[in-house]
Structures are given as C-alpha cells and as structure tokens.
C-alpha cells in the first residue's frame, strides 16, 4: 500500500478509536488544531511521563518547572522572536493558496534528490552486487549534472535566507519555474515576512491593555527563571531545568495531521554548563536523546541525525533527530547548543544580572546552554505511525482476513489490560469485575463484555491493548484465566494470582527507564 494511503488510514483510525479528533468538528473544524480523545490523552500522558521521568527522576541535577504561557512582552523582544520569528510567505494568485517560500524551494530541491535516488536505484539493479554507489555518484554524468544543480540552488537559497532577501527568494522561485501544486501556474505574489507569534491583549482596555503573546516555545520561561531555580534549589553547574507545556505558532502551512499544528505541546530541557564545555555536553545529550527514542523498539534504521550546517545566530552546534514518518524522514526533536545568547539577552533587556557564581572558581559568569526540545504531538505521531499495522490473517477455510492493530509499546499503551467474561452469566462477570477492581490501582484496566470474544479481541487490538484476559467456566473451578498477547495472538492459561507479576513489570515506565 502506498505510504500516503497508510497515512490516511492512520488518521481515520485515530478518529474512529478515540485517539485524535479534529478540533471544533461540529463547526467544520479549525485548521491545524486537534483534540485528543479518551485513548489519545492516555497515550499523550504516558509519553510525557516517560520523558519527564527520564529527565527529572533519572538525573539528580535536573529539576522541573511549570512557567506561565503569558510572559512579559519584552521577553519576546529579547529572545529575538518579535523581530525574527518569521517565515517567508508567498501566495499563488490563481489558486489563492498560501505557501512558505522556503518550503517551495526545499521541495524543489527534494525533487532533484529524488531524481538522483532513482538513477542510483536503476544502476543498482543493473550492476547487482558489484555496484559501488560512491563511485557511481562521482562519475555518472546525469547524477553529476543534477548534483551541480542542487549545489548551486542550495548556495543561492542559503544566501537569500541568511540575508532575509525576500526579492531574491521570489526570483529563485521564478528562475526555477516552480509552480503552485494546486493551480499549476507561476502567478505568484511577492514574498513577505510573516511573524508566527499569536498576539492578544492583557487587562481591560480602560486600565491600559497591553499586547502579550502566546508563547511560541517553552524555553524562555526556563531562561527567565534560571536564577530563581538555581538559588532556591542550590543548584551547581552543570544542571538542567525541564518543562512540559503548550506552545503556539501561527504556522503558514499546517499540514500532515498533528505534525505541524498551531497549538501544540513541547517538552524542553535547558542544560546550563560552564563556558567551554558546551560541545562536550552537546554530544552527550545527542547520544542520550537518541537512546531515549530508540528504547521504544521501532528500529534503529528509522532514526537519523540531521546536523545543521547553517546555524542560527545564537547556536554553535545544532542537530535534529529525524524519524521515518509515512511521508519521509522528518524532525521530531532538536538539540541545540545555544551558547550564552539567551541569558545575555535577558540580562541586557531586563537590566538584571543572569550570572552564576561558581564557588569552585570564585568567579561569576553567564552559563552556556544545551537545549533538547521535542514536540509531544510529533512524538505521538511517531509512535502511532510506527505502531499502526494491518496484518493479513489466513483462516482455516483458506480465506483471509485483515487484522488492524496498534503495536504500541506496552508501557505507553492507553489500556494495559482488558478483562473479559466469556459470557454474561454464571458468575463470570463478577469474577472479571473483581479482577479489574484489584488491578486498577496498578495499571489501566478495562472491563469489556459486549459482543463475541473474537470481536472484543479485535477491538482491543485496534486500541493497542497489549494484554486481554478471558474468564470462562474453568475459572470458577481452578482460578485460572487465559491471557492473550496482542502481537503474537498467543494464549496461555495462568492463575489469577500471577497476573500482577506477569503484567506489572512489562507495563511499568521503569522497564523503559532501565534501558537508558
Ligand atoms: P520545524 O522546522 O518543523 O518548523 P522547528 O525547527 O521550528 O520545527 P523547534 O523550534 O526546534 O522546531 O521546536 C522544537 C520541537 O517542537 C520540534 O522538533 C517539533 O517536535 C516541535 N514543533 C515545532 N513546531 C511544531 C508545530 N507547529 N506543531 C507540532 N510540533 C511542533
């Protein structure tokens, strides 16, 4: 099945099974805003807990924070967001569709890359085992010509972006004959800058309303509280502050479901270090964060680093962790060495010292910062795209059937255990209810007695429940139940008293944390 179709099915599945709903659906929705349903919110909470515990519980020198969404407007001036948190925007006059000029150019570049990949694919088929990709890239005239086009366009594009040269961005689009994907025409407006921050007003107009922004990232709340936490927590460098919270960006083009939203959630950790040690810590956090992702078991080949060549003005190193989504490798997390830029800016704009007194050296200085920043929603999308599976099942009569299941890591699954009486009589429901009552202190259990047992299994597969137990007449005689495993569909007979032991360890966050 084409990856595009898989993605469409995943979006439909999320809605059908209470994971993600379009916001304000009865009013035809609100673009790029989504609501999480009864299972979605459980998965989201589990993701947040896994991240939080891996930061705050596992590291003595990392503490948490929950700062407000509204902050003093000067913070966004100091951070550079008022002047520079812009995307270049362009409209097609025929389709009336709006695009990010940089994304149009990047997509054009990706088409060239695709062309090269196709050439390589064909050659690999032709030459078989003897094929040497590097040599082919260095010598094949068609590949060389395409690569030259890529390099030239990349250089011109980077120059225009660095200089915020909007006229040149438009010229690049015209020179490369980039057309609107909807109208197919080249009838473009000029490129304009568009600030991504949402603004609103605080206070009533009569007592002097002031313009405030909905924060576009949680990081600044950490920077402005750096000394509060350091002093009250008697923290010594190196130390980190972790925060989970909502962020808002008025994205020009919001696409791909919950990948790019206008209201989303971030999990950010700012790690404060001695100047001069930052690149060592940058490498450290790169490794730790990649391990965190890979501990979920979705396959190492589905992750890669994308090191930034072009760095933001405040950074001296930056990388993205990319995951292979159904629409290709895309960023899920950014790791940035932000130098002392943010703290120094706040020192300048607030007039308050943002320095750390180093008791060992006997001097004060502004620490350097390594940031790890990941979107909860993008992480959610990573997990459900990796987990969504359609499995062909052969029946005894030779026909086949499709089983839809979510292979969610047990630790993150919204429901850990479904408890099912085989029939709604003979005392079986009472036994099932008692098991739920006993186990629900330990993990999320669901009682399910509707429909045939086969349909109930399928329903739990679709939700991603890793374990189902069935209570039958034998249970009355010997206190045993059948436990059925979601992924293998294997069933075994176990004593009720063993259930806690069998399930608890597998669904506990600590089993993942121990892998880190
Ligand atoms: P992109 O290049 O995709 O716009 P970014 O580089 O601007 O992302 P950062 O500012 O580094 O992203 O934000 C850190 C993380 O926050 C991203 O890795 C992503 O997981 C998440 N994130 C950023 N913007 C959005 C959004 N509009 N919707 C959902 N998640 C987002």
């Amino acid at each position: 099945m084409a990856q595009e179709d898989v993605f469409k099915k995943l979006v439909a599945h999320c809605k059908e099974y209470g994971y993600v709903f379009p916001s304000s659906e009865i009013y035809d929705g609100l673009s790029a805003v989504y609501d999480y349903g009864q299972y979605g919110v459980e998965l989201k909470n589990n993701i947040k807990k896994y991240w939080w515990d891996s930061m705050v519980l596992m590291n003595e020198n990392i503490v948490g924070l929950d700062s407000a969404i509204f902050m003093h407007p000067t913070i966004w001036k100091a951070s550079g967001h008022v002047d520079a948190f812009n995307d270049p925007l362009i409209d097609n006059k025929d389709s009336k569709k709006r695009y990010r000029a940089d994304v149009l150019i990047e997509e054009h570049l990706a088409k060239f890359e695709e062309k090269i990949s196709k050439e390589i694919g064909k050659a690999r088929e032709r030459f078989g085992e003897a094929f040497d990709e590097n040599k082919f890239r260095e010598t094949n005239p068609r590949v060389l010509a395409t690569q030259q086009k890529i390099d030239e366009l990349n250089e011109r594009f980077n120059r225009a972006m660095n200089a915020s040269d909007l006229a040149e961005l438009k010229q690049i689009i015209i020179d490369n004959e980039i057309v609107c994907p909807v109208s197919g025409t080249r009838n473009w407006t000029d490129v304009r800058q568009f600030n991504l921050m949402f603004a609103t007003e605080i206070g009533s107009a009569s007592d002097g309303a002031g313009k405030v922004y909905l924060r576009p990232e949680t990081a600044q709340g950490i920077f402005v509280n750096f000394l509060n936490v350091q002093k009250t927590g008697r923290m010594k460098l190196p130390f980190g502050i972790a925060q989970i919270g909502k962020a808002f960006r008025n994205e020009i083009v919001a696409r791909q479901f919950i990948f790019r939203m206008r209201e989303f959630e971030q999990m950010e950790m700012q790690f404060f270090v001695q100047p001069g040690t930052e690149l060592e810590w940058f490498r450290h956090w790169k490794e730790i964060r990649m391990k965190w992702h890979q501990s979920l078991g979705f396959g190492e080949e589905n992750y890669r680093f994308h090191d930034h060549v072009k760095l933001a003005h405040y950074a001296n190193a930056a990388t993205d962790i990319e995951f292979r989504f159904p629409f290709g490798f895309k960023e899920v997390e950014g790791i940035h060495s932000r130098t002392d830029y943010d703290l120094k800016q706040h020192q300048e704009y607030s007039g308050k010292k943002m320095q750390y007194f180093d008791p060992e050296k006997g001097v004060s200085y502004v620490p350097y910062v390594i940031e790890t920043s990941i979107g909860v929603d993008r992480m959610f999308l990573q997990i459900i795209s990796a987990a969504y599976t359609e499995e062909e099942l052969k029946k005894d009569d030779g026909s086949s059937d499709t089983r839809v299941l979510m292979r969610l890591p047990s630790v993150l699954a919204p429901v850990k255990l479904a408890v099912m009486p085989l029939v709604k009589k003979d005392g079986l429901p009472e036994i099932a209810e008692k098991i739920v009552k006993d186990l629900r202190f330990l993990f999320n259990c669901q009682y399910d007695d509707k429909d045939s047992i086969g349909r109930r299994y399928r329903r739990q597969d679709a939700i991603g429940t890793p374990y189902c137990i069935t209570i039958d007449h034998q249970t009355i005689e010997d206190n045993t139940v059948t436990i059925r495993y979601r992924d293998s569909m294997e069933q075994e007979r176990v004593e009720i008293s063993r259930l806690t032991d069998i399930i608890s360890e597998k669904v506990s966050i600590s089993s993942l944390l121990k892998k880190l």
Side-chain angles (χ1 to χ4, degrees), residues 9-186:
K9 284 194 171 184
L10 174 65
V11 175
H13 187 85
C14 279
K15 190 173 162 219
E16 189 180 345
Y17 286 93
Y19 271 89
V20 184
F21 306 126
S23 159
S24 324
E25 200 186 3
I26 57 168
Y27 291 94
D28 295 334
L30 183 65
S31 166
V33 186
Y34 290 90
D35 298 337
Y36 288 85
Q38 65 276 26
Y39 297 121
V41 63
E42 297 288 345
L43 173 57
K44 211 172 167 211
N45 284 342
N46 293 341
I47 294 170
K48 289 194 269 188
K49 177 143 178 60
Y50 177 40
W51 183 87
W52 186 265
D53 286 356
S54 75
M55 289 290 177
V56 177
L57 204 70
M58 302 294 289
N59 295 283
E60 267 171 35
N61 60 349
I62 298 182
V63 292
L65 177 78
D66 183 16
S67 69
I69 287 172
F70 289 137
M71 297 200 280
H72 195 285
T74 311
I75 286 174
W76 304 110
K77 193 83 191 140
S79 68
H81 284 82
V82 171
D83 296 320
F85 195 51
N86 300 320
D87 277 339
L89 165 157
I90 192 166
D91 293 285
N92 183 271
K93 290 184 203 163
D94 299 320
S95 67
K96 308 268 183 282
K97 290 275 173 205
R98 180 158 285 183
Y99 299 93
R100 265 173 65 175
D102 55 333
V103 171
L104 282 178
I105 299 169
E106 275 165 9
E107 283 173 355
H108 189 67
L109 276 162
K111 279 188 196 147
F112 286 137
E113 301 276 4
E114 227 171 83
K115 216 168 151 186
I116 293 183
S117 296
K118 273 194 189 144
E119 290 282 355
I120 290 173
K122 271 196 277 174
R124 178 168 285 122
E125 256 175 40
R126 214 171 35 238
F127 296 115
E129 294 238 317
F131 181 65
D132 178 345
E133 182 177 327
N134 287 340
K135 200 159 169 216
F136 184 75
R137 279 181 182 272
E138 282 162 18
T139 52
N140 180 280
R142 278 192 302 275
V143 170
L144 283 173
T146 312
Q147 188 59 49
Q148 194 183 347
K149 276 190 198 158
I150 293 176
D151 293 343
E152 282 169 8
L153 178 53
N154 244 330
E155 207 200 313
R156 192 175 166 197
F157 174 46
N158 284 338
R159 232 184 300 125
M161 287 296 283
N162 282 336
S164 296
D165 187 342
L166 303 182
E168 171 68 353
L169 281 178
K170 179 170 181 188
Q171 202 53 48
I172 293 175
I173 289 173
I174 290 170
D175 292 349
N176 284 275
E177 302 181 347
I178 297 175
V179 297
C180 164
V182 176
S183 67
T185 71
R186 285 181 242 149

